[in-house]
Amino acid sequence: MVTFLPSRPGRLADVPSFARTIGGAESNVACALASAGHRVRWISRVGTDGFGDHLVDAVGAYGVDVSGVRRDSGRPTGIYFRTATDRDTAAHEVAYYRAGSAASAMSPRTMAYDDLFAGRVLHLSGITAALSADCLALMRDLTAPRPGRPLVSFDVNHRPGLWRDGSGPDVLLELARGADLVFVGEDEAASAWDLHGADAIRAALPEPRTLVVKRGSAGATVYTGDTVTSVPALRVDVVAPVGAGDAFAAGFLSATLRGLPAAARLRHGHLMAAATLTVAGDLGTPPSRSRADHLAALDADAWGTLRLGPGWTAEAPAEVRTP
């Protein structure tokens, strides 16, 4: 989607102007992974309008292969507006204009499966499943067992406002059970499934080979088979919280593609999230790979005292260590 960010805090009714940028869970992950040096293809549908042109150009500028994006002359590109507040607060507002959009026409009939299965990882989001019956059919098809499919990564991304009929929790649990790698927030598992705590989530989701439970300021826990690994979150001077979950997924996937151990995957997730938390938009500039590897290799004490603020991903960032 094209995203409109407010020029100042406040209700949507009171914000006088908005800055145009790009948004969408999957494209956020794609851009972050490409910025981290991976070969990435984003596959979607946008309109033949100016917003579609902007999305394709902007995502492509991150180094993402956009040759798999289809243009739809009969449907517009989706857009949305949001407030500057944290998504988890009552003051946060989002206005989606996605009904009948080009992306909502994605289906098993309109998507090229050769493109979808060409990579080592296929990353999906629960948001797509909420866009239309056709999108849900596509998501069910992509998470169904089949020979030769790539590792299927699924971010639950429960957005109650998109599930008007209340079916979201059941659908998302079904899709998660078909994936190989699942990302879910502890808070969204509580609200969607009434599951409390990482162990309860794992008990309800034993099927995925890898389950990552994001626990906010407490950190994150990954279940791989019978092994459980937890890593505390970093101390971050937050500018804006939106997009951090997508960035975390990108950092974890980047480390997964590199074959790094579980703890390092979680740390790279935290570092990529910190890059987004310290900027105003949905996408931050990740640290260089060598810098990320250096920080991910810190001992427990050094990791625990590390504090990151705006500008920390620059070549000579200011790291603040607190006693």
Side-chain angles (χ1 to χ4, degrees):
M1 299 171 295
V2 169
T3 304
F4 288 92
L5 303 178
S7 58
R8 70 183 191 196
R11 302 183 310 152
L12 286 178
D14 300 328
V15 175
S17 59
F18 296 80
R20 183 193 65 180
T21 182
I22 61 175
E26 299 90 345
S27 58
N28 284 344
V29 173
C31 292
L33 279 169
S35 296
H38 296 278
R39 289 191 301 168
V40 186
R41 175 179 290 180
W42 177 53
I43 300 168
S44 189
R45 291 174 67 86
V46 300
T48 54
D49 48 30
F51 287 146
D53 294 340
H54 172 64
L55 270 179
V56 172
D57 291 346
V59 174
Y62 279 88
V64 176
D65 179 353
V66 294
S67 62
V69 178
R70 299 292 179 260
R71 307 301 294 267
D72 190 326
S73 61
R75 297 177 178 85
T77 302
I79 63 173
Y80 87 113
F81 297 77
R82 68 170 173 83
T83 53
T85 51
D86 189 333
R87 181 182 284 122
D88 292 330
T89 69
H92 185 70
E93 296 175 75
V94 175
Y96 288 106
Y97 298 91
R98 307 178 77 172
S101 68
S104 72
M106 292 188 293
S107 75
R109 301 181 305 279
T110 61
M111 303 303 285
Y113 277 52
D114 287 347
D115 287 343
L116 289 166
F117 292 155
R120 292 170 56 195
V121 175
L122 172 62
H123 182 69
L124 309 170
S125 164
I127 294 173
T128 300
L131 299 183
S132 67
D134 281 341
C135 283
L136 176 53
L138 174 66
M139 293 292 286
R140 282 178 165 146
D141 202 32
L142 294 177
T143 54
R146 68 173 68 220
R149 80 174 192 182
L151 184 149
V152 174
S153 167
F154 179 69
D155 195 333
V156 171
N157 270 325
H158 180 227
R159 301 288 185 269
L162 293 176
W163 297 94
R164 302 292 182 179
D165 61 0
S167 65
D170 289 340
V171 170
L172 295 172
L173 190 61
E174 170 200 342
L175 296 174
R177 285 173 169 158
D180 302 303
L181 165 58
V182 172
F183 298 95
V184 63
E186 200 169 41
D187 55 345
E188 64 182 341
S191 64
W193 303 322
D194 197 24
L195 296 173
H196 302 276
D199 287 346
I201 299 169
R202 182 53 163 174
L205 273 172
E207 296 89 352
R209 187 186 322 157
T210 303
L211 172 67
V212 181
V213 179
K214 297 173 290 182
R215 300 164 52 226
S217 60
T221 298
V222 59
Y223 295 81
T224 50
D226 295 328
T227 303
V228 183
T229 306
S230 294
V231 168
L234 289 162
R235 300 183 187 189
V236 179
D237 296 328
V238 177
V239 173
V242 179
D246 300 329
F248 181 94
F252 188 92
L253 288 172
S254 173
T256 298
L257 287 165
R258 296 172 59 201
L260 300 183
R265 297 179 190 190
L266 291 175
R267 283 192 171 191
H268 277 275
H270 286 314
L271 289 165
M272 193 77 84
T276 292
L277 287 168
T278 50
V279 299
D282 288 10
L283 287 164
T285 300
S288 66
R289 181 170 292 185
S290 61
R291 179 163 182 74
D293 285 342
H294 167 72
L295 294 176
L298 292 173
D299 62 36
D301 288 341
W303 178 265
T305 59
L306 188 64
R307 183 166 184 166
L308 302 174
W312 76 270
T313 62
E315 284 302 311
E319 280 179 21
V320 180
R321 293 183 181 272
T322 56

